[in-house]
Amino acid sequence: MGKGGDKVVSDRAETVYTWEEVQKHADKDDKWIVIEGEVFDVTRWSRKHPGGSRVISHYAGQDATDAFTAFHRTHRRQFVNKYMKPIRVGKIAPDENKQKEIDTDFRDLREVADKMGLFNPSYFFFHFHFVMAILYEVVGYLTLAYFGVNWFTFILCGLILGTGMAQSGWLQHDFGHLSVYKSNALNNFVHQILMGVIKGASSGWWKHMHYQHHAKPNVMDKDPDVRVEKLFVVGDNMAKKVAKQKNYWLPYNFQHKYFPIIGPPLLFPIYFQFMIFRFFYQRRKTHYVEFLMFLSYYVRFAYLFVPLVGVFGTLVLYEITRVVESTWFTWVSQSNHIPMEIDQDQNRPWVKLQMHATRNIEKSAFNDWFTGHLNFQIEHHLFPTMPRHNLYKIKPLVKELCKKHGITYQEVSLGYAFKDILRSLRKSGQIWFDEYYHYHEKFE
């Protein structure tokens, strides 16, 4: 169970550790975390962790209390706790186990949200959206089958299918976060249906990536969403770090110009497609059922559209669908994060960690639909298992919490958010350019 170390023994002969000791156990082969003052050795358990090994490993040597609470719903924690007893190695020394005021206030806020019933889903809301996810494909097919094939109906079909993919993306996000049913098994099953059968993607791959993002948003080397330095540099510190490397992939000082061309349109059709196939290949012995669901989407797509538009037309229609979905998703998702702080892990308290990395987009009926309620990105990151239709209800209380602790609560318009992506990329690219030539001139 890890490498051991100096320890203090209490009157009850229970092993007690200081934070300094716990922080020594933050290596790949030696990982301890702390939850509610209890110390756990997750070195081996991380490989069995249902949420993936990396998401729990990102908190090695740190307090994971609020992350644990955020990812595990109240009625499931007792079930989870029984698996943690065998890996408990002790507790934090009483004189060091003192909660910060912001942590105490946030945990109180979570209890208030629970009492308000904000973690209770509207089954009508989610079932309605599930039916709509199916209807988008039906309407797209009927557009060609009923009205005939011409350029107008062909493009319209692609737009309808792409819209359905984008909206299904927001819906799978709800089930992926276990926000709908009390049963994790049922949430996971529907998530696999949405991702594999309806979207032609991978539930397992999405969880592997997305849970890491939530655990450490905008944290370099931990959040896969900012692991983009082959194409872009985001934030001030990544720009400076990459600038110290002699070779570079692209002229980042022009990234604000090439981002709209190679970023949003190609993320899904190329990068995600490659990564999903790679994920299945690496796990071909354990994820074969999910892989069959994934294949069923492509079989169905070919069965529906090849008789109508031929093989080449079906390939083009598929690419139109993916480009629409990809462009939609990328502009929405990056508007909440790219303009925010991006840095190495500072081991911040949960609220500050999330607030430094996220911001909101103003509420409106269109914005709610267009973003899948992820215009309430702050509230979603603080309470990832809260059903999205309730996020706006907790917003006023979150703003009060931020005001009390002097934390900036950012909210902007949708148009400003999109423009700010390019402004941020331009700023980071210029930092890289200046730092690159300044740094390398010293060594020439």
Side-chain angles (χ1 to χ4, degrees):
M1 285 202 174
K3 299 175 183 177
D6 298 333
K7 57 193 177 186
V8 180
V9 180
S10 68
D11 293 337
R12 295 191 302 158
E14 182 174 18
T15 308
V16 177
Y17 296 96
T18 64
W19 273 112
E20 182 180 2
E21 169 57 23
V22 171
Q23 289 164 1
K24 294 177 183 178
H25 299 268
D27 300 325
K28 180 180 179 181
D29 300 317
D30 179 25
K31 294 174 281 196
W32 288 9
I33 63 172
V34 176
I35 299 174
E36 295 180 346
E38 306 291 317
V39 183
F40 301 90
D41 183 344
V42 297
T43 307
R44 295 181 180 178
W45 166 244
S46 62
R47 300 168 197 164
K48 306 174 185 177
H49 183 232
S53 62
R54 292 189 181 182
V55 66
I56 194 171
S57 299
H58 290 336
Y59 275 88
Q62 299 180 11
D63 187 344
T65 301
D66 290 311
F68 174 82
T69 304
F71 284 110
H72 302 88
R73 295 174 298 167
T74 304
H75 71 277
R76 294 283 300 177
R77 277 178 224 144
Q78 188 174 0
F79 175 78
V80 173
N81 287 339
K82 75 176 185 178
Y83 288 97
M84 300 186 69
K85 289 179 181 179
I87 60 174
R88 182 181 181 278
V89 295
K91 65 180 183 180
I92 292 293
D95 59 329
E96 294 196 12
N97 189 27
K98 298 178 181 178
Q99 287 188 17
K100 297 177 181 177
E101 185 181 12
I102 190 171
D103 292 334
T104 302
D105 289 346
F106 175 70
R107 291 163 195 175
D108 290 343
L109 176 58
R110 185 178 184 86
E111 289 185 9
V112 170
D114 207 0
K115 291 176 181 177
M116 291 172 64
L118 299 186
F119 291 97
N120 299 331
S122 164
Y123 293 126
F124 173 80
F125 176 90
F126 291 111
H127 293 161
F128 171 80
H129 281 80
F130 189 90
V131 172
M132 288 299 298
I134 297 172
L135 285 178
Y136 277 112
E137 185 170 312
V138 172
V139 173
Y141 170 76
L142 291 177
T143 300
L144 294 178
Y146 183 77
F147 294 104
V149 179
N150 55 58
W151 281 109
F152 176 76
T153 57
F154 186 81
I155 297 298
L156 180 61
C157 176
L159 293 175
I160 293 171
L161 294 177
T163 299
M165 283 290 188
Q167 291 299 317
S168 297
W170 307 142
L171 183 61
Q172 67 81 21
H173 181 264
D174 300 313
F175 286 93
H177 275 294
L178 312 175
S179 300
V180 183
Y181 301 119
K182 287 188 175 181
S183 167
N184 281 6
L186 187 55
N187 278 311
N188 289 326
F189 175 72
V190 177
H191 189 246
Q192 288 183 342
I193 294 294
L194 282 164
M195 287 297 280
V197 179
I198 294 181
K199 289 181 60 63
S202 166
S203 170
W205 177 77
W206 181 88
K207 291 176 182 177
H208 170 69
M209 301 290 283
H210 194 66
Y211 290 173
Q212 291 183 70
H213 163 68
H214 268 271
K216 291 289 184 179
N218 281 15
V219 173
M220 294 161 58
D221 301 321
K222 292 190 175 181
D223 180 0
D225 286 9
V226 296
R227 203 176 297 143
V228 295
E229 58 271 15
K230 296 289 178 65
L231 298 175
F232 309 101
V233 289
V234 289
D236 298 357
N237 293 316
M238 181 186 293
K240 294 175 182 177
K241 179 181 178 181
V242 173
K244 294 179 182 179
Q245 302 170 7
K246 184 66 177 177
N247 298 320
Y248 55 89
W249 289 77
L250 288 171
Y252 301 115
N253 48 314
F254 294 110
Q255 64 181 2
H256 59 291
K257 294 183 178 181
Y258 64 71
F259 171 81
I261 301 171
I262 70 172
L266 303 182
L267 180 66
F268 279 38
I270 295 180
Y271 177 71
F272 277 13
Q273 205 74 59
F274 170 78
M275 294 301 292
I276 289 170
F277 274 108
R278 180 171 174 264
F279 177 86
F280 278 130
Y281 178 76
Q282 292 175 338
R283 296 161 177 80
R284 57 190 178 278
K285 294 182 179 180
T286 57
H287 285 62
Y288 50 87
V289 174
E290 188 184 342
F291 181 66
L292 290 175
M293 290 183 176
F294 165 77
L295 284 181
S296 73
Y297 166 80
Y298 295 92
V299 172
R300 184 180 73 256
F301 197 91
Y303 176 80
L304 290 175
F305 294 106
V306 168
L308 295 175
V309 297
V311 174
F312 179 75
T314 300
L315 291 173
V316 173
L317 183 63
Y318 172 78
E319 290 303 321
I320 292 173
T321 300
R322 288 300 190 199
V323 168
V324 171
E325 174 192 21
S326 182
T327 302
W328 193 326
F329 168 83
T330 306
W331 282 103
V332 170
S333 63
Q334 298 312 305
S335 64
N336 298 119
H337 296 297
I338 280 185
M340 305 302 288
E341 181 181 323
I342 299 169
D343 201 353
Q344 298 290 345
D345 194 352
Q346 304 296 319
N347 193 14
R348 290 188 171 112
W350 181 255
V351 175
K352 290 186 177 181
L353 169 68
Q354 304 300 334
M355 295 301 298
H356 276 81
T358 57
R359 71 178 179 187
N360 279 8
I361 293 171
E362 294 171 349
K363 177 176 173 54
S364 71
F366 175 79
N367 287 353
D368 291 353
W369 173 80
F370 188 75
T371 67
H373 291 91
L374 293 182
N375 46 332
F376 297 99
Q377 190 73 201
I378 290 173
E379 290 73 23
H380 170 61
H381 264 258
L382 291 174
F383 308 100
T385 61
M386 183 178 289
R388 57 166 149 142
H389 53 74
N390 287 333
L391 292 172
Y392 77 96
K393 298 177 183 178
I394 196 66
K395 174 182 171 181
L397 300 180
V398 171
K399 293 183 76 171
E400 288 181 13
L401 177 69
C402 291
K403 183 177 181 181
K404 176 180 178 179
H405 293 279
I407 300 173
T408 302
Y409 184 103
Q410 291 197 34
E411 184 175 65
V412 297
S413 68
L414 185 65
Y416 180 90
F418 287 173
K419 292 177 184 176
D420 208 23
I421 294 175
L422 301 181
R423 280 192 289 262
S424 299
L425 289 172
R426 183 172 186 172
K427 177 187 174 186
S428 300
Q430 191 60 48
I431 291 173
W432 169 84
F433 182 82
D434 295 340
E435 189 74 15
Y436 180 87
Y437 287 99
H438 174 74
Y439 179 82
H440 291 287
E441 281 178 359
K442 296 189 299 183
F443 299 97
E444 291 180 356

